[in-house]
Amino acid sequence: MSVMLVYITAGDVEEAREIGSELIMRHLAACVNIIDKMESMYWWDGKIESSSEAVLIAKTVPELVEKLTETVKQLHSYDCPCIVAVESKEGNSEFFEWIKSHTS
């Protein structure tokens, strides 16, 4: 069995909470972690930008990543939100089962 850790950045902690709440309510993620006040540097419109963001890490199953991604894109304020899914095949199997039991 594997689970997916989906790394998402948001404009601020409130946006991360709104997105996270929707993912949980729709059973697209069993759990989300929110980390506030991350400093980001990136290229945008041909120049280097810097801003404060929040990080959202959603825990889900592989078959829900596409739907989760589409949901985040609909809710997100960014034109091109960062949504990166990383598969984990090893870890606490009881936790993996818990994630599976709380996603549809």
Side-chain angles (χ1 to χ4, degrees):
M1 175 201 279
S2 65
V3 298
M4 303 300 286
L5 303 177
V6 185
Y7 175 87
I8 304 160
T9 57
D12 58 35
V13 72
E14 291 306 317
E15 181 175 41
R17 284 184 185 131
E18 289 172 17
I19 292 169
S21 292
E22 281 297 314
L23 296 178
I24 297 291
M25 289 176 54
R26 296 180 190 193
H27 295 275
L28 296 173
C31 172
V32 298
N33 301 121
I34 297 171
I35 305 165
D36 194 12
K37 300 187 191 304
M38 177 188 68
E39 183 70 23
S40 294
M41 296 178 68
Y42 50 92
W43 282 101
W44 193 253
D45 289 334
K47 61 183 177 178
I48 296 175
E49 298 284 341
S50 177
S51 63
S52 179
E53 293 183 299
V55 174
L56 174 68
I57 302 170
K59 293 145 185 138
T60 192
V61 291
E63 56 269 20
L64 291 177
V65 171
E66 185 176 339
K67 190 169 184 179
L68 183 148
T69 299
E70 288 306 313
T71 300
V72 171
K73 288 169 68 175
Q74 291 171 1
L75 298 170
H76 212 290
S77 64
Y78 291 1
D79 294 336
C80 182
C82 171
I83 308 166
V84 178
V86 178
E87 184 175 24
S88 178
K89 293 184 177 187
E90 296 185 30
N92 180 353
S93 60
E94 293 168 337
F95 184 69
F96 283 25
E97 287 293 335
W98 178 82
I99 291 171
K100 184 177 179 182
S101 73
H102 287 84
T103 52
S104 55

